[in-house]
Amino acid sequence: GKGSGLSFQELDGYGLVTTSTVVLQSPNDGAHYAPAKSLLAGKVSDHDNGMAALAEDDCTESAIDFSPLDYEKEGGNMVLWDDEVGGKYPWDERYYSENGQGDRDFDKEFIMRHATDSASTAGALATGHKAAVNMMSVNLYEEDLSTIVEDAMKCGKAAGVISSVPVLHATPGSFVVHSNYRKNGPQMQRSLEDVNPTYIAGGCAGRYQPSEEHKDKMREDGTLGRSWTIIEQSPDVLAADFYSALEDLDPNDDQHVLACFGGDYTASEQYNAPYRGLDSTYSDRYCSSGSVETDADGNILSVTPTTEDDLCDHYSAEEVAQIPTMAEHVKAAVDFLGKDDDGFFLMYEQGDIDWAAHADHMDDMLGTMLDVSDGVQYMMDWIDDNGGYDKNALY
């Protein structure tokens, strides 16, 4: 349901949006996650964009004839919500009854079939086209699809992304890169350079960030130094001064910005922004981990979570002092992009809500909800001060 207590829950027309994915070639064993397969042969992790033959239908030995019928049970490849089998909403009360209230059409396990992932979902939101699990803003034949970031820039607007997790992770990455596989770092990095968004801010860690060669080009003496400014977390700069370089920059002058924090820039090497916790102290949290049991084929059988008795910190106090809060990251992005005379598009993701949920860490989860509430509150305030909802949209 809608809930209450967060900034955006008070908006008129507030709603929740989700999507589904496709099942191509063959379903996964157990049908929990949808398969990471396109209409090209093999898995998307086996090759770069488009570098495979057409997948064949096992029955006809010819190229698969994609059928976007509404429901899997009717022979289609789309996985759309079936309200007869799954209920009107994913929280249908029959899921919580012992026998599904005796409805012969209702299946309590329907909700667990062919789950999508962040890449497929974000790509669908960014482009309006569905793709398979692991695919980022490419079509079912692994061809690039223009994202809303690219569309905005083609219209002369400034556009970019900000996230509490690495900038090329599944959700933010799907708005600024094109990749058939969400873990293909080199391919994502090459694509980012081609897309050339106005603004990118978030964690910079591992494969989920611009390549070092790309970053070197962005530096003052690099080939992109005249149009790019790179802001990097440093022990010599406090959070209050992190974005000071933005004051004199203007997207109308074709200025672009990359802001990197966490990950490779911190001793703790965390991939996401600091967890603030429900008390917003960024300290004294329970540190949890888990062990995974698999069968001989590598399939996960169970996860055993463990929580230490001693409290710990996600980041050290010194590191926290260097990193702006998520609301401050949002403010910097909106204020910079908002200078553009033709308008702007910004995708803001609080990606570590998902990470905290995966870890079953309630304190981290609640803290990240406060983060997104504060960040969206700044967006709402900016809209109120800049023409209201007659001139602006918030999704």
Side-chain angles (χ1 to χ4, degrees):
K2 179 176 179 179
S4 61
L6 302 176
S7 59
F8 48 86
Q9 289 172 317
E10 306 307 318
L11 288 170
D12 292 335
Y14 168 84
L16 299 173
V17 178
T18 186
T19 187
S20 54
T21 188
V22 294
V23 176
L24 302 173
Q25 301 188 43
S26 60
N28 286 337
D29 291 340
H32 177 55
Y33 272 104
K37 298 175 183 177
S38 68
L39 288 175
L40 301 188
K43 297 181 179 179
V44 295
S45 57
D46 295 339
H47 54 268
D48 281 356
N49 289 349
M51 301 302 290
L54 291 172
E56 292 187 352
D57 187 310
D58 290 338
C59 297
T60 65
E61 296 186 353
S62 58
I64 292 175
D65 181 17
F66 177 75
S67 174
L69 294 174
D70 284 349
Y71 303 115
E72 178 194 9
K73 68 182 182 182
E74 295 176 359
N77 303 113
M78 304 294 283
V79 182
L80 299 184
W81 189 259
D82 187 329
D83 57 7
E84 291 182 0
V85 179
K88 186 175 181 180
Y89 302 109
W91 51 88
D92 189 295
E93 62 183 11
R94 289 173 291 181
Y95 281 110
Y96 308 100
S97 66
E98 189 169 337
N99 60 5
Q101 294 188 351
D103 189 332
R104 66 182 182 85
D105 292 326
F106 184 79
D107 181 359
K108 293 176 71 171
E109 296 187 357
F110 174 77
I111 197 172
M112 296 185 288
R113 291 181 60 80
H114 306 309
T116 186
D117 76 329
S118 299
S120 175
T121 300
L125 295 173
T127 67
H129 294 258
K130 287 183 182 292
V133 164
N134 282 344
M135 296 172 70
M136 305 168 69
S137 296
V138 293
N139 66 18
L140 296 177
Y141 295 96
E142 304 180 10
E143 300 165 319
D144 291 1
L145 292 167
S146 185
T147 70
I148 192 169
V149 166
E150 293 172 289
D151 292 344
M153 292 192 297
K154 289 173 185 175
C155 294
K157 304 178 188 297
V161 297
I162 176 174
S163 179
S164 61
V165 302
V167 292
L168 297 188
H169 216 265
T171 298
S174 292
F175 284 78
V176 293
V177 305
H178 305 280
S179 180
N180 64 337
Y181 183 46
R182 60 185 285 179
K183 294 183 180 181
N184 188 336
Q187 178 167 261
M188 293 188 295
Q189 290 166 341
R190 292 192 300 270
S191 181
L192 175 69
E193 196 163 355
D194 290 338
V195 172
N196 199 37
T198 314
Y199 196 94
I200 327 164
C204 287
R207 73 188 100 189
Y208 304 110
Q209 61 176 317
S211 68
E212 288 305 313
E213 292 78 9
H214 192 188
K215 284 197 256 185
D216 285 342
K217 292 178 183 179
M218 296 176 181
R219 302 188 198 283
E220 189 173 355
D221 57 351
T223 56
L224 299 176
R226 289 188 177 183
S227 59
W228 274 90
T229 297
I230 179 170
I231 300 171
E232 300 166 283
Q233 181 187 342
S234 165
D236 301 323
V237 180
L238 293 178
D241 299 316
F242 186 86
Y243 283 111
S244 59
L246 293 186
E247 294 178 8
D248 298 325
L249 299 180
D250 191 333
N252 292 296
D253 298 329
D254 195 30
Q255 293 296 311
H256 300 248
V257 174
L258 166 66
C260 283
F261 59 81
D264 296 346
Y265 292 87
T266 60
S268 51
E269 299 182 331
Q270 299 292 341
Y271 270 40
N272 61 309
Y275 283 125
R276 68 193 271 182
L278 183 58
D279 63 4
S280 299
T281 64
Y282 295 92
S283 63
D284 292 336
R285 63 190 284 272
Y286 284 101
C287 290
S288 59
S289 58
S291 58
V292 179
E293 180 185 358
T294 61
D295 61 19
D297 296 324
N299 298 311
I300 296 176
L301 299 177
S302 65
V303 177
T304 303
T306 56
T307 302
E308 301 172 9
D309 293 333
D310 296 331
L311 299 178
C312 66
D313 296 338
H314 183 216
Y315 282 81
S316 69
E318 292 77 17
E319 291 171 326
V320 170
Q322 301 162 18
I323 304 174
T325 65
M326 285 310 300
E328 290 168 340
H329 287 301
V330 171
K331 180 181 186 303
V334 171
D335 289 353
F336 171 74
L337 295 171
K339 297 177 184 179
D340 194 286
D341 293 337
D342 297 308
F344 70 95
F345 170 83
L346 173 66
M347 193 289 295
Y348 160 43
E349 181 213 21
Q350 191 71 40
D352 47 3
I353 293 175
D354 179 51
W355 294 14
H358 281 303
D360 198 22
H361 200 299
M362 183 61 71
D363 189 44
D364 288 348
M365 207 182 318
L366 292 172
T368 55
M369 290 304 299
L370 296 178
D371 275 337
V372 72
S373 180
D374 292 346
V376 175
Q377 181 65 63
Y378 185 78
M379 293 177 169
M380 292 161 57
D381 292 342
W382 189 93
I383 288 172
D384 288 341
D385 294 338
N386 290 271
Y389 292 97
D390 289 336
K391 292 189 176 181
N392 302 281
L394 179 61
Y395 295 102

